[in-house]
Amino acid sequence: MSGKRIVDEREIHHKHYEEISAKLVQDQFAQFLGIKLLELGEGTATAEVSVQEHMLNAHGTAHGALIFSLADFVFAAACNSYGKTSVALSMNIGFLAAAMKGNRLVATATEEKKNNRTAWYRIRVETEHGLVATLDALAYRKNEYFVPIDEEA
């Protein structure tokens, strides 16, 4: 026996859901943009933001940085949803349609594959008119958890 303990991350997610959610909504930049976390699941997350006048680019459409920031936020929420500190390694976004002032952007991250060190996610950003952007993201999963795991998990 190696003495290495197996951690049930699904159990950690459910046992520490409130603490994990509270940590994720403390994201200062997301708060600044008005991004709201709607759902947080095991390796999944959904969030929204309303496109406002000051979020438009020179062409009068939602700035790509806003769309990317929303996608990045749900990616961060999904990959940290197990209470294990995770950070972005790479992200690739495709902008497919414009969003306009007044549109509600909704982003959903879905975990495709996860192991002890990395996890891969697909993110969709949509408005009421359809798909605006897709993002593929790879996370690096650090050793530490930001919730207690010393009790039996």
Side-chain angles (χ1 to χ4, degrees):
M1 283 270 164
S2 68
K4 195 172 190 178
R5 196 168 79 119
I6 302 212
V7 176
D8 183 345
E9 291 187 332
R10 295 180 67 181
E11 189 172 320
I12 291 170
H13 170 80
H14 292 286
K15 186 172 187 177
H16 297 285
Y17 178 83
E18 294 301 324
E19 188 178 350
I20 293 167
S21 295
K23 172 93 170 160
L24 298 173
V25 298
Q26 289 175 15
D27 184 307
Q28 298 276 320
F29 190 63
Q31 288 177 9
F32 173 76
L33 292 174
I35 294 172
K36 305 279 187 239
L37 182 63
L38 301 176
E39 294 178 24
L40 181 66
E42 298 169 14
T44 65
T46 302
E48 69 176 0
V49 68
S50 293
V51 181
Q52 299 172 34
E53 183 80 31
H54 66 278
M55 299 170 170
L56 303 178
N57 62 24
H59 301 290
T61 60
H63 200 289
L66 173 67
I67 296 166
F68 183 87
S69 294
L70 177 61
D72 181 51
F73 176 75
V74 294
F75 166 48
C79 69
N80 282 278
S81 65
Y82 302 103
K84 188 171 190 178
T85 302
S86 301
V87 296
L89 276 176
S90 69
M91 302 169 77
N92 183 30
I93 193 165
F95 296 100
L96 307 172
M100 310 304 274
K101 178 182 170 189
N103 284 160
R104 176 179 170 250
L105 290 169
V106 177
T108 302
T110 305
E111 185 176 271
E112 297 292 326
K113 181 83 173 153
K114 159 177 90 71
N115 61 37
N116 187 49
R117 277 288 168 233
T118 59
W120 182 50
Y121 295 82
R122 287 247 164 109
I123 296 96
R124 293 175 57 88
V125 181
E126 301 174 274
T127 68
E128 57 273 23
H129 305 294
L131 187 62
V132 172
T134 62
L135 187 129
D136 289 326
L138 180 64
Y140 175 72
R141 306 181 79 230
K142 294 183 161 191
N143 289 330
E144 20 339 299
Y145 286 81
F146 57 88
V147 295
I149 61 161
D150 46 7
E151 68 260 15
E152 196 168 312

